[in-house]
Amino acid sequence: MRVFVAGAAGAIGQQLLPLLVAQGHQVTAATRSPAKAGRLRELGAEPTVVDGLDAIAVGEAVARAEPDAVIHQMTSLAGDADLRHFDRMFAVTNQLRTQGTDHLLAAAAAAGARRFIAQSYTGWPNIRDGGPVKTEDDPLDPNPPAAQRESLAAIEHVERVVPAAAPMQGIVLRYGSFYGPGASDAFVDLVRKRRLPIIGDGAGVWSFLHIHDAATATLAALEHGQPGVYNVVDDEPARVTEWLPFLAQAVGAKPPRRLPVWLGRLAAGEAAVSAMTQIRGSSNARAKRELGWRPAWPSWRQGFSHGLASAEPARGAA
Ligand SMILES: NC(=O)c1ccc[n+]([C@@H]2O[C@H](COP(=O)([O-])OP(=O)(O)OC[C@H]3O[C@@H](n4cnc5c(N)ncnc54)[C@H](OP(=O)(O)O)[C@@H]3O)[C@@H](O)[C@H]2O)c1
């Protein structure tokens, strides 16, 4: 297949490109930065330099590539986390999920692509009501914290327009929280510095995903699955009180501090309190069933211990 990857130089792109090339796909890899072109070529792709928010340039780049499939992995999340101003932190990512998706969908359709895969996220967007683990059939949060409303709207946009892109087959992959090489350094640094406290009862449920498993799921979605939305997460959604102390220990840090809810709200805002006390995890049953995908890192336990710096489990360690 001829595959166009937008956002190819990011954490997931760098894992995905070699997998695509190894499968014999011919890959055009998009970046805004001419300085990254050499790296993309090393990974076996043909680089193209384009800004994902420039509709005309995107149209031209995709037309030149004549892709059978287009993959959208553009986000802009490097930099310090600021949960109090969540929508501000996600502002460019939200544009990439709305306008960026629209430009790429239009370009893909015009170029005659058959399949379109877009990145979404699962975790805090789930409804914060009922059981601890949600499927794709559960609603998204009808009343998210005020600071997350625009970000949820951007996610809803991707999840609405991509599966409706017929005759193109549109697949949305809702990745869980990434960890692994190039994907979790800032997060782990917060844990090392004890700057990620458990707030309140720590009953928020998180679903994690090793970055290499995000790439293998994306590869699977090129050829499997009906148009729709798929949770791509590991097998073990877990409460903050389970995974955070485990992660601290795995990276040799002291146990996380604890903060009461009122102080957590004051220090980090409502979205942080929600993430620590209320959010729900996600089930990967549909992705397993319909994409034929299995995570190589089925649990963050093994992943945090051995997978923060390596792509695949050592033989015999799985
Ligand atoms: N599910 C999750 O937990 C999740 C999801 C996404 C990211 N993250 C985390 O966020 C952190 C940063 O992510 P990242 O390294 O993937 O980088 P990133 O800065 O989030 O960007 C990803 C890709 O998007 C591209 N991009 C950004 N703005 C663009 C634009 N206007 N037009 C075209 N492309 C654009 C970048 O391309 P250029 O080459 O042009 O810079 C980059 O290759 C990592 O730690 C990652 O793990 C987590």
Side-chain angles (χ1 to χ4, degrees), residues 122-123 126-139 174 203-208 231 233-239 242 278-286:
T122 189
N126 283 330
I127 186 167
R128 292 172 295 162
D129 197 11
V133 179
K134 303 301 180 192
T135 73
E136 296 83 347
D137 295 330
D138 287 302
R174 290 177 174 170
V205 178
W206 289 48
S207 278
F208 286 98
N231 293 339
V233 295
D234 77 8
D235 291 346
E236 200 182 344
R239 290 164 65 113
E242 290 180 86
Q278 296 180 335
I279 65 168
R280 302 304 204 261
S282 305
S283 160
N284 62 15
R286 179 179 288 173

Side-chain angles (χ1 to χ4, degrees), residues 9-315:
I12 180 160
Q14 299 216 28
Q15 299 280 336
L16 177 61
L17 261 42
L19 297 185
L20 291 170
V21 171
Q23 285 296 307
H25 299 306
Q26 204 175 320
V27 182
T28 302
T31 174
R32 286 163 304 169
S33 161
K36 295 182 188 170
R39 172 73 184 140
L40 295 174
R41 206 169 264 125
E42 274 168 27
L43 294 172
E46 182 58 35
T48 183
V49 176
V50 61
D51 184 333
L53 296 174
D54 179 338
I56 292 172
V58 169
E60 288 171 353
V62 174
R64 272 196 307 274
E66 299 177 18
D68 301 300
V70 171
I71 303 180
H72 177 348
Q73 299 288 6
M74 296 181 289
T75 51
S76 185
L77 296 170
D80 290 341
D82 178 5
L83 295 185
R84 183 187 293 286
H85 303 107
F86 196 96
D87 283 340
R88 195 196 292 167
M89 174 173 73
F90 268 74
V92 176
T93 296
N94 292 343
Q95 271 186 299
L96 290 165
R97 285 184 169 153
T98 52
Q99 297 160 40
T101 300
D102 293 350
H103 297 338
L104 205 52
L105 268 179
R114 286 180 281 112
R115 207 149 170 97
F116 190 99
I117 299 174
Q119 172 178 160
S120 184
Y121 177 78
T122 189
W124 65 263
N126 283 330
I127 186 167
R128 292 172 295 162
D129 197 11
V133 179
K134 303 301 180 192
T135 73
E136 296 83 347
D137 295 330
D138 287 302
L140 296 181
D141 194 345
N143 189 24
Q148 292 180 302
R149 283 191 195 135
E150 290 169 17
S151 303
L152 186 61
I155 280 172
E156 286 170 334
H157 180 87
V158 179
E159 297 193 355
R160 188 173 57 251
V161 299
V162 171
M168 249 186 327
Q169 299 165 331
I171 304 268
V172 177
L173 300 178
R174 290 177 174 170
Y175 301 132
S177 292
F178 286 161
Y179 69 92
S184 46
D185 297 345
F187 189 65
V188 168
D189 198 45
L190 287 179
V191 175
R192 281 216 176 86
K193 293 182 174 148
R194 299 185 91 202
R195 287 180 50 209
L196 194 67
I198 296 175
I199 299 175
D201 61 4
V205 178
W206 289 48
S207 278
F208 286 98
L209 179 67
H210 192 283
I211 192 75
H212 185 72
D213 285 330
T216 61
T218 311
L219 185 68
L222 260 189
E223 292 182 352
H224 303 277
Q226 293 300 312
V229 173
Y230 297 82
N231 293 339
V232 179
V233 295
D234 77 8
D235 291 346
E236 200 182 344
R239 290 164 65 113
V240 175
T241 46
E242 290 180 86
W243 67 258
L244 184 46
F246 186 99
L247 177 56
Q249 191 170 27
V251 301
K254 290 186 183 158
R257 298 176 201 278
R258 301 204 67 131
L259 289 186
V261 165
W262 68 267
L263 190 52
R265 187 174 289 125
L266 209 62
E270 196 55 42
V273 171
S274 170
M276 287 283 163
T277 62
Q278 296 180 335
I279 65 168
R280 302 304 204 261
S282 305
S283 160
N284 62 15
R286 179 179 288 173
K288 283 181 164 171
R289 199 172 57 238
E290 296 179 28
L291 303 180
W293 167 81
R294 292 282 178 285
W297 299 93
S299 167
W300 48 268
R301 291 179 195 276
Q302 171 213 20
F304 290 171
S305 301
H306 305 290
L308 290 175
S310 48
E312 291 175 83
R315 221 180 289 269

